Amino acid sequence: MSGTAFNPAPLHILLIEDEPALARNIVDYLQMCGHQTDYAADGQQGLQLALQQHFDVILLDLMLPRLDGLSLCRQLRQQASRHTPVLMLTARDTLDDKVQGFHAGSDDYLTKPFALAELGLRCQALARRTQPQDYCLSIGPLTLDRRAHQAWRDGQLLQLHPLGFQILQLLAEAYPALLSRQQLSERLWPDDAPDSDALRSHIYLLRQQLDKPFANALLHTVHGVGFVLRLSETLP
């Protein structure tokens, strides 16, 4: 494997790889690029490190002693309090192998042998595209669990339609900014947006669960612009 050094923003990377020579090459290259790299030689140690610390990217081999990469990734997604990008490294290159990896929770896939420069670039792309984030998001009385796709207001579970939850999540992640109707439609239906009545209907259903049973509204319409979450009735 070969690679040319580049000068990206430094990342904190966890490498879980049981081949000592390959691991040494990867660690040396990443450190030469300015990244901080932690290393585990087996799956159990790798999972422990991944759960104990916050990393920008995890590089995960599939064939590992004590705990294989697919099982490690599944357990990480189940147990971690935040989503950290996982790049799987493996000699398995069939479509079925890749499908299994993505179903286990990986974010990207790199087949051995690979160029170290490509590995570095993929780490940078993953870190930019999927910033590690806590699964739970709280705004005043509202709490969202992005992994479980559930939301609570004042501790009361909201019975939301999947698209209603997605709308609420988009608004919560944008808070305190508003999102236009066009922005919401493009995020909800990126390939073929329906007419505006579909969004209006889902906003109505969301309000029935989010606001109607409570004294104050959280979801507000800014007429002619879009929608926003606010903790008071005062609009700008």
Side-chain angles (χ1 to χ4, degrees):
M1 299 181 197
S2 62
T4 302
F6 60 106
N7 296 305
L11 302 173
H12 189 191
I13 298 172
L14 172 61
L15 171 64
I16 309 173
E17 168 63 63
D18 67 328
E19 296 181 34
L22 175 58
R24 191 177 306 110
N25 284 342
I26 292 174
V27 169
D28 287 348
Y29 177 76
L30 293 175
Q31 290 181 343
M32 180 176 65
C33 294
H35 302 307
Q36 178 184 348
T37 308
D38 289 2
Y39 169 66
D42 66 71
Q44 288 287 1
Q45 182 189 18
L47 179 61
Q48 184 177 10
L49 283 172
L51 291 172
Q52 288 176 344
Q53 300 184 46
H54 290 165
F55 295 93
D56 296 303
V57 178
I58 296 173
L59 305 178
L60 176 61
D61 184 35
L62 280 185
M63 303 298 292
L64 293 167
R66 301 183 67 197
L67 183 66
D68 66 89
L70 289 176
S71 298
L72 189 160
C73 196
R74 291 191 192 98
Q75 292 186 36
L76 176 67
R77 295 302 184 225
Q78 292 169 359
Q79 299 176 39
S81 62
R82 55 164 45 191
H83 182 97
T84 301
V86 172
L87 172 57
M88 284 192 170
L89 310 175
T90 178
R92 298 176 177 178
D93 60 358
T94 69
L95 176 59
D96 184 60
D97 291 326
K98 294 180 180 180
V99 168
Q100 289 186 51
F102 287 123
H103 283 175
S106 72
D107 297 273
D108 200 0
Y109 202 103
L110 191 56
T111 303
K112 300 175 181 177
F114 49 79
L116 291 173
E118 181 178 2
L119 177 69
L121 290 170
R122 291 205 187 199
C123 287
Q124 285 294 122
L126 280 173
R128 287 195 304 267
R129 188 172 75 231
T130 52
Q131 289 291 334
Q133 57 182 203
D134 291 337
Y135 285 117
C136 288
L137 173 63
S138 295
I139 301 171
L142 179 66
T143 300
L144 285 83
D145 185 332
R146 289 178 276 206
R147 176 169 51 182
H149 291 180
Q150 292 182 322
W152 297 260
R153 179 168 176 179
D154 292 330
Q156 179 177 326
L157 179 64
L158 305 177
Q159 302 298 326
L160 300 178
H161 183 278
L163 273 175
F165 178 84
Q166 193 174 353
I167 292 170
L168 184 58
Q169 178 178 332
L170 290 170
L171 291 170
E173 290 173 345
Y175 177 85
L178 63 80
L179 292 178
S180 69
R181 292 177 181 273
Q182 181 178 352
Q183 287 173 315
L184 280 172
S185 293
E186 289 175 350
R187 296 290 297 277
L188 294 170
W189 301 285
D191 297 323
D192 186 19
D195 58 42
S196 59
D197 287 341
L199 178 59
R200 186 180 302 113
S201 296
H202 285 290
I203 291 288
Y204 172 80
L205 293 174
L206 174 59
R207 281 197 166 108
Q208 298 307 298
Q209 291 293 322
L210 177 66
D211 289 335
K212 188 174 182 180
F214 302 92
N216 299 315
L218 291 178
L219 176 55
H220 296 271
T221 300
V222 181
H223 293 288
V225 184
F227 303 94
V228 65
L229 291 180
R230 294 212 174 272
L231 300 183
S232 71
E233 296 290 344
T234 304
L235 289 174

